[in-house]
Amino acid sequence: FFLQESMHAYAANVYTTVVEELMKGKQRKFIAVEQEFFRLWWDVVATDTQKQQVHQLLQEGRLEFVIGGQVMHDEAVTLIDDQILQLTEGHGFLYETFGFRPQFSWHVDPFGASATTPTLFALSGFNAHLISRIDYDLKADMQKNKKLQFVWQGSPSLSEREEIFTHVMDQYSYCTPSHLPFSNRSGFYWNGFATFPDPPKDGVYPNMSLPVTDTNLHQYAQTMVANIKERAAWFRTSDVLWPWGCDKQFFNASVQYPNMDLLLDYINKHSGEFGVTVQYATVGDYFQAVYNRNLTWEIRNSQDFLPYSTEPFQAWTGFYTSRSTLKGIARRASSLLYAGESFFTQYVRKHPEGSICKCKALKQLQSLRWAVSEVQHHDGITGTESPKVKDMYMNNLMYGVFNVKKLMASIIFDMSNAKKNGEVYSSVYPKDSGISDVDQYVVVYNPLAWNITTFVTISVSNLAMSVYDELGHPVPAQVQSSAESPSTYDLHILVEISGLSYRKYSVKPLDGNQPAFIGRSIKYKRREITRAGQQGRQLFPVVNNCYQILFDQNTNLMHSITERETNQTVELTQEFLEYHVNGDTMKGPISDNYLFGSNASAVPVSKAVGLEVVSGTLMTEIRQYFYSNVTSQDYIYAVYTRIYTVPEGYDGKLLCHRIEQEYSVGPLELNREAVLRTSTNLNTRQLLYTDNNGYQMQKRPFKAYVNNTVARNYYPMVQTAYIEDDTTRLMLLAERAHGVSSQGNGQVEVMLHRRLWNNLEWNLNNNLTLNDSSVVRPVIWLILGTKAVTNILYRTSGLALEHRPVVMFGALSGGKPKLPGQLQQNSVHDSPVTVPPNLHLQTLSIPGWRYSSNHAEQVRRIRMGKQKQGDADFNRVLLRIRHLYEVGEDPVLSKPVMVDLKSLLNGLGSVMAVEERSLTGTWDVNTLKRWKWNTAQYPSKGFFNSTKTSEDFIVTVHPKEIRTFFVYFQ
């Protein structure tokens, strides 16, 4: 809906009028970034003539696609997998349609810059990277010292191999300054500002700039030249990038270009007087000019540019948590897509005769690829959009999720019917809820390429249940009253599943011999937190094989955790606090969707805590309810802490070391920001570590500022954060992004939810208040242990949280109980796909692109207009493998790994050919030659050459590498 509105109000007009204007003058140029809008125009609006013109303009280098992803993604709260997905989606379209491969970035609008991005863009074949939004004080300093350009080695392990030249825009950023000293009207924006939802009937837009005329031409030129010269002083070369445009500009290019032509011609005619020559250029033209100067550039290490402040009281750290529900659903959708892709790929490879229509299946997957790509936008998953745009993202995600669940269910149905072993599904339905009737099947798919042992939870209506596997053997399970709704029960099933495989479990009302364990509940009296200091502290333990957690019966709060292997005890308490923030611009700095502005310390929210402990053989769940006082009716906050005990014979290492916490937060009062603060006696010196996009860690020392110290010490946690002392580390793993900070020694606090209203004019005009009255239920896993132990556990655990098994339900028809042994092991089981624990199978999918992987051939097809003929290609499989560790991070896991692709994938068929490709698939790595910029470290300029291909299907994956392949089977 919102997309249609934007297309109607301005986006479609940008492409229609720009293409028309570019055709009118050989000197004119234009750059375009986001493919989502361009593809809508291309598919729905563009005429055949306009399409021909676009082809011509691209060939002439006068229209240039930069970045070329579906969107310009946010860098702070997005996961690396989703960044790669949205880049790959856009690049696949551009290469298939035009044979065009973007080589430059234009990341001007994300709020802060991550160190993952330069690595991704280098891996995608880019020659240079461009950013703009970094801390105001840092930018001022870099500008003064001519340090806005550098060679960025974003990854410490890949260092110079994937470095990239980076340009930071100066203080004017990416918009033309509109002030004219000789007029009270604005300058340079002749098409004015777009109006929503409809363009004006008379074509007169608000704020159309003063037109260029004979009488003001000289003054206009002087104004422009003065700004160009001001900027030239901040850069080392005499080439100045002067961006012309801004948000929602060029929707009427027919008034923009003629005015621009007049100015440029005039300045060039009088270049002697002005000391400047000007020309239309693309970003590529600019970087080529700078590259040709052959200067030697400073190297920047892997430090990122987060957080981002625009002035002393404007720290853009609120969006790390804004719209937590959207952040959670975006990640769940991404993880389901990941599972659906590998599931469908295996189905196509193993069941070529299967009854499912592959083209329809691909469309179902594409609907979720598009939705997950789109929400990575820097005003999407960030939570910085208006409610109706948020609803569009949500609806598109839910629609895609529904499609992929339906696809996965129909694949299971098709494969089960194909078995002909007396087993027939009357339905396989992708419900998220639970089991109602008798004789149900639970189908559980493990989307990771490792063997996993974990619990899946389904809701049931009865305490007396039994669970069996395919062979009729009993499966360990525990059933207990649900914290969610008193009338139902949670059934926790211990599942053991090999890589990329699924298993079927039958769940039956108790048939006597093998009941599930029952979790018994003890409720404790509600306690006042203030009683903490009193004599005779009463502690009670909750224990599994890895941890002993002590709770204080005087307060019902956690007291300490002992890691049993080393017998190390860490005092650890958790409490909820709220920052009370201001929404009235007359009264001082505000908090909004973007900004976090705390004018005081956070305030504890509850004076009393209720406690219930549900203990059983397999797991213990501690339920804490936080009340504003001892007599309050309702709680606003709850924590459900679960620890697991794995029976003999199961690999329980990951499960045992995981303290799982689920929180219930909300509805909040207005202008409150809710945090969970975990305080320990670790001497951390207030040093925090957080991740960049689930790819690499950043060190976050606490910094004191004159103003806004609390908010400026907030950082994004996409997947991981930790604090540590000399021996012990406390690790937090998350399934959605949060703001995180260490506001005191031994402390880590996570912002879980925000509800805000403010009267800032801009926010009101764009309906950008965050009056979010929802209840959010994020999950965080805690791991406590030595650095060595947590190092081994945290990468695999983080991915196990991200990619929890997909659970579907099936009903048996006929209702006859099966005898043990009658159900065969599923054939998916015969050939699991597994990689070692320091590698992650990041992508296994069938993209469906119809382009030739031979570049010359692809260009020839496009010239002949044959690029889109035929159905989607189901033979090409896209495979990505990522090394999870940094160089030197772990004595064993940081080693390079040799992978035999043929044997890795032999369950899918016989591998016939493998082509190694750039990250998004559009380059053969052997023909990719990126520009090598001079640095003090490596003076010789030239091209990066990659020599990575293997003859015999064996590849060696080095620390932090992400390797991308096209795989073809016999």
Side-chain angles (χ1 to χ4, degrees):
F1 161 73
F2 167 74
L3 271 175
Q4 272 66 35
E5 188 176 285
S6 294
M7 284 295 285
H8 173 66
Y10 80 96
N13 299 336
V14 171
Y15 290 110
T16 301
T17 65
V18 164
V19 168
E20 183 186 345
E21 288 304 309
L22 290 178
M23 296 307 292
K24 288 180 184 171
K26 280 282 186 211
Q27 77 284 14
R28 296 173 173 180
K29 299 195 175 186
F30 192 77
I31 62 165
V33 176
E34 298 182 310
Q35 291 309 300
E36 178 145 327
F37 278 127
F38 178 77
R39 289 172 81 162
L40 283 170
W41 177 78
W42 184 260
D43 291 339
V44 179
V45 179
T47 62
D48 286 348
T49 306
Q50 286 166 331
K51 289 184 175 184
Q52 275 315 113
Q53 291 171 337
V54 169
H55 277 283
Q56 182 188 331
L57 291 165
L58 281 168
Q59 278 166 31
E60 292 173 3
R62 299 201 293 118
L63 173 63
E64 180 173 79
F65 289 112
V66 288
I67 307 180
Q70 283 291 91
V71 295
M72 187 188 293
H73 65 254
D74 166 69
E75 300 195 34
V77 299
T78 46
L79 194 62
I80 184 171
D81 310 59
D82 302 333
Q83 298 178 348
I84 294 172
L85 170 76
Q86 78 86 20
L87 273 178
T88 304
E89 278 298 291
H91 287 187
F93 163 76
L94 284 175
Y95 195 55
E96 186 174 72
T97 313
F98 306 111
F100 184 88
R101 302 179 284 200
Q103 291 187 277
F104 303 98
S105 119
W106 182 259
H107 244 218
V108 295
D109 215 15
F111 321 132
S114 158
T116 309
T117 316
T119 303
L120 289 194
F121 286 169
L123 289 167
S124 302
F126 288 15
N127 290 319
H129 176 37
L130 183 147
I131 60 177
S132 181
R133 292 181 180 269
I134 65 169
D135 256 340
Y136 69 99
D137 40 7
L138 178 61
K139 181 179 277 200
D141 187 60
M142 290 167 75
Q143 190 169 280
K144 192 173 81 210
N145 296 307
K146 295 194 182 190
K147 290 185 186 289
L148 289 168
Q149 294 170 317
F150 46 84
V151 170
W152 196 355
Q153 297 181 350
S155 161
S157 296
L158 301 175
S159 66
E160 75 280 356
R161 282 191 298 146
E162 302 302 341
E163 69 189 13
I164 192 166
F165 181 80
T166 303
H167 171 102
V168 184
M169 294 189 121
D170 59 45
Q171 69 188 43
Y172 291 105
S173 192
Y174 62 91
C175 293
T176 321
S178 60
H179 173 67
L180 295 178
F182 57 90
S183 169
N184 57 7
R185 284 179 70 179
S186 70
F188 305 104
Y189 293 94
W190 296 285
N191 56 199
F193 289 96
T195 59
F196 283 74
D198 294 307
K201 296 274 182 285
D202 56 3
V204 178
Y205 284 84
N207 297 359
M208 291 173 83
S209 287
L210 181 72
V212 177
T213 61
D214 288 349
T215 49
N216 66 22
L217 181 53
H218 186 73
Q219 290 167 293
Y220 238 125
Q222 278 179 314
T223 305
M224 183 168 169
V225 167
N227 184 264
I228 290 171
K229 286 183 167 170
E230 182 186 8
R231 292 176 171 198
W234 301 329
F235 292 94
R236 290 179 56 201
T237 78
S238 53
D239 315 288
V240 177
L241 173 68
W242 208 74
W244 205 319
C246 194
D247 297 351
K248 303 184 181 71
Q249 280 297 309
F250 281 88
F251 55 85
N252 187 356
S254 57
V255 294
Q256 281 291 119
Y257 278 104
N259 279 289
M260 292 158 78
D261 283 349
L262 290 170
L263 265 176
L264 299 192
D265 291 347
Y266 184 82
I267 293 170
N268 287 337
K269 281 207 184 76
H270 301 86
S271 60
E273 171 192 343
F274 288 125
V276 164
T277 59
V278 283
Q279 67 176 74
Y280 286 108
T282 62
V283 192
D285 294 337
Y286 171 71
F287 280 126
Q288 183 76 62
V290 176
Y291 182 66
N292 290 346
R293 301 274 177 192
N294 212 3
L295 298 184
T296 298
W297 300 97
E298 281 189 11
I299 291 174
R300 180 180 177 86
N301 66 7
S302 56
Q303 188 59 47
D304 64 7
F305 291 97
L306 287 163
Y308 160 61
S309 289
T310 35
E311 51 186 74
F313 286 101
Q314 291 188 346
W316 296 50
T317 57
F319 80 92
Y320 301 160
T321 306
S322 297
R323 298 205 195 286
S324 178
T325 303
L326 174 63
K327 286 176 162 64
I329 285 177
R331 285 272 281 275
R332 293 272 58 75
S334 155
S335 139
L336 179 74
L337 174 63
Y338 172 81
E341 295 279 12
S342 64
F343 203 55
F344 176 64
T345 304
Q346 293 186 83
Y347 174 75
V348 170
R349 294 291 333 134
K350 295 176 180 176
H351 297 265
E353 305 304 306
S355 66
I356 289 172
C357 165
K358 291 192 295 215
C359 290
K360 183 186 168 196
L362 191 60
K363 283 201 167 61
Q364 290 173 306
L365 285 167
Q366 275 167 342
S367 69
L368 191 52
R369 289 177 192 168
W370 272 56
V372 173
S373 294
E374 160 189 279
V375 78
Q376 307 311 317
H377 188 279
H378 58 274
D379 285 312
I381 195 167
T382 51
T384 55
E385 65 284 273
S386 69
K388 74 173 180 194
V389 181
K390 181 254 314 180
D391 292 341
M392 174 201 77
Y393 285 124
M394 287 287 232
N395 291 339
N396 291 350
L397 286 165
M398 298 317 280
Y399 174 69
V401 161
F402 174 75
N403 280 332
V404 171
K405 283 190 169 169
K406 211 160 66 174
L407 171 62
M408 292 180 77
S410 54
I411 287 175
I412 290 171
F413 186 67
D414 187 61
M415 282 164 62
S416 303
N417 281 346
K419 293 276 153 3
K420 301 282 186 278
N421 58 358
E423 185 189 338
V424 182
Y425 281 89
S426 56
S427 62
V428 172
Y429 39 99
K431 280 208 330 217
D432 276 323
S433 60
I435 298 269
S436 47
D437 316 336
V438 289
D439 276 10
Q440 297 258 334
Y441 275 82
V442 184
V443 179
V444 184
Y445 177 63
N446 166 25
L448 289 165
W450 302 313
N451 301 336
I452 58 157
T453 303
T454 191
F455 282 93
V456 296
T457 306
I458 59 176
S459 66
V460 293
S461 52
N462 194 331
L463 259 184
M465 301 300 269
S466 302
V467 182
Y468 299 95
D469 67 11
E470 302 92 337
L471 298 173
H473 298 144
V475 173
Q478 179 171 321
V479 65
Q480 59 201 39
S481 66
S482 166
E484 294 280 282
S485 65
S487 58
T488 61
Y489 299 95
D490 290 335
L491 175 64
H492 302 276
I493 305 170
L494 183 66
V495 298
E496 200 178 26
I497 312 177
S498 39
L500 301 195
S501 303
Y502 73 84
R503 294 194 61 180
K504 289 189 288 230
Y505 300 90
S506 55
V507 176
K508 309 181 180 193
L510 188 57
D511 52 3
N513 49 0
Q514 294 289 343
F517 300 111
I518 291 180
R520 303 288 175 197
S521 159
I522 302 174
K523 289 193 170 67
Y524 291 82
K525 213 175 117 197
R526 200 184 292 186
R527 297 288 190 177
E528 288 190 64
I529 292 179
T530 44
R531 301 181 54 212
Q534 295 170 1
Q535 278 73 37
R537 175 167 270 171
Q538 292 251 287
L539 302 175
F540 73 88
V542 177
V543 184
N544 74 357
N545 295 332
C546 296
Y547 299 115
Q548 170 177 279
I549 307 178
L550 292 180
F551 285 83
D552 183 337
Q553 271 180 286
N554 290 341
T555 61
N556 287 341
L557 293 175
M558 199 181 282
H559 169 269
S560 63
I561 301 178
T562 302
E563 203 275 322
R564 293 182 61 187
E565 200 179 347
T566 56
N567 212 16
Q568 186 93 20
T569 298
V570 174
E571 287 172 30
L572 189 148
T573 56
Q574 292 183 310
E575 61 176 336
F576 288 105
L577 302 98
E578 286 175 350
Y579 287 99
H580 294 210
V581 294
N582 169 45
D584 184 352
T585 51
M586 303 308 289
K587 292 187 179 155
I590 59 157
S591 263
D592 64 9
N593 301 51
Y594 308 90
L595 309 176
F596 170 39
S598 62
N599 42 14
S601 302
V603 182
V605 287
S606 73
K607 294 205 168 58
V609 182
L611 180 69
E612 179 184 2
V613 177
V614 182
S615 48
T617 311
L618 300 178
M619 64 176 289
T620 302
E621 181 173 74
I622 301 103
R623 301 171 180 171
Q624 292 165 293
Y625 302 97
F626 293 74
Y627 298 88
S628 49
N629 58 54
V630 171
T631 54
S632 311
Q633 282 291 294
D634 298 319
Y635 60 87
I636 328 164
Y637 292 91
V639 184
Y640 309 103
T641 304
R642 295 181 270 270
I643 62 170
Y644 300 97
T645 304
V646 182
E648 285 293 309
Y650 286 85
D651 175 9
K653 193 168 78 168
L654 284 186
L655 258 177
C656 178
H657 280 94
R658 161 191 320 166
I659 300 172
E660 181 173 303
Q661 291 198 314
E662 184 179 349
Y663 312 101
S664 173
V665 181
L668 301 178
E669 288 174 47
L670 212 47
N671 289 333
R672 298 284 189 271
E673 318 223 5
V675 301
L676 174 81
R677 182 176 289 167
T678 302
S679 304
T680 70
N681 63 342
L682 297 175
N683 179 20
T684 61
R685 301 177 185 79
Q686 238 177 312
L687 178 60
L688 172 70
Y689 293 82
T690 69
D691 66 330
N692 272 163
N693 316 105
Y695 178 64
Q696 64 191 40
M697 299 304 296
Q698 291 277 354
K699 201 173 183 166
R700 310 294 193 188
F702 189 87
K703 295 176 183 157
Y705 296 96
V706 178
N707 300 308
N708 220 15
T709 293
V710 170
R712 286 188 82 171
N713 279 283
Y714 256 80
Y715 295 92
M717 160 167 82
V718 177
Q719 212 168 38
T720 315
Y722 63 85
I723 54 173
E724 62 184 18
D725 65 9
D726 299 334
T727 57
T728 308
R729 181 182 287 169
L730 173 67
M731 201 117 210
L732 282 65
L733 301 170
E735 40 74 74
R736 70 187 71 178
H738 300 279
V740 60
S741 186
S742 177
Q743 296 286 338
N745 190 21
Q747 279 182 9
V748 57
E749 66 181 55
V750 180
M751 192 180 288
L752 298 175
H753 202 12
R754 323 176 70 216
R755 183 178 183 186
L756 309 166
W757 189 89
N758 64 77
N759 57 8
L760 185 69
E761 181 100 2
W762 196 83
N763 285 343
L764 292 176
N765 291 345
N766 292 284
N767 196 5
L768 270 180
T769 54
L770 194 62
N771 193 354
D772 181 347
S773 57
S774 63
V775 175
V776 297
R777 303 195 62 107
V779 171
I780 287 180
W781 290 357
L782 307 178
I783 301 176
L784 181 74
T786 61
K787 294 180 188 182
V789 167
T790 54
N791 246 349
I792 292 168
L793 295 171
Y794 84 101
R795 300 275 183 195
T796 38
S797 295
L799 284 158
L801 173 56
E802 187 64 34
H803 299 293
R804 286 166 286 185
V806 177
V807 179
M808 288 166 287
F809 300 94
L812 265 191
S813 59
K816 285 201 199 72
K818 288 277 181 282
L819 298 168
Q822 229 180 301
L823 288 172
Q824 300 310 306
Q825 279 275 42
N826 205 295
S827 73
V828 168
H829 228 61
D830 309 338
S831 49
V833 178
T834 46
V835 295
N838 51 352
L839 294 189
H840 170 44
L841 189 87
Q842 186 164 313
T843 309
L844 181 68
S845 73
I846 294 179
W849 302 310
R850 292 166 291 191
Y851 62 69
S852 166
S853 56
N854 176 315
H855 184 62
E857 168 63 16
Q858 175 63 5
V859 170
R860 196 183 62 79
R861 279 190 199 177
I862 287 165
R863 295 266 155 90
M864 295 171 67
K866 289 189 177 164
Q867 71 272 32
K868 288 286 186 91
Q869 289 173 355
D871 285 340
D873 176 358
F874 291 95
N875 296 317
R876 174 188 295 157
V877 170
L878 175 67
L879 169 73
R880 282 194 194 96
I881 297 175
R882 162 155 61 111
H883 197 302
L884 294 172
Y885 282 80
E886 298 281 0
V887 170
E889 187 178 355
D890 182 90
V892 177
L893 297 170
S894 290
K895 292 196 163 99
V897 185
M898 284 176 76
V899 182
D900 181 338
L901 297 180
K902 219 175 162 71
S903 71
L904 174 69
L905 299 174
N906 76 11
L908 278 68
S910 173
V911 173
M912 191 175 65
V914 173
E915 299 168 352
E916 182 156 7
R917 307 291 291 184
S918 60
L919 182 68
T920 58
T922 53
W923 293 87
D924 171 345
V925 292
N926 297 306
T927 62
L928 176 58
K929 300 215 183 330
R930 292 197 308 122
W931 296 352
K932 176 88 182 73
W933 298 70
N934 292 340
T935 58
Q937 192 178 348
Y938 297 97
S940 67
K941 199 176 85 166
F943 294 103
F944 279 106
N945 248 339
S946 101
T947 48
K948 291 197 284 203
T949 44
S950 66
E951 284 307 294
D952 44 5
F953 305 114
I954 292 176
V955 290
T956 302
V957 187
H958 292 270
K960 283 329 253 193
E961 283 187 338
I962 303 172
R963 306 283 290 276
T964 304
F965 306 93
F966 288 166
V967 182
Y968 303 91
F969 293 86
Q970 261 171 6

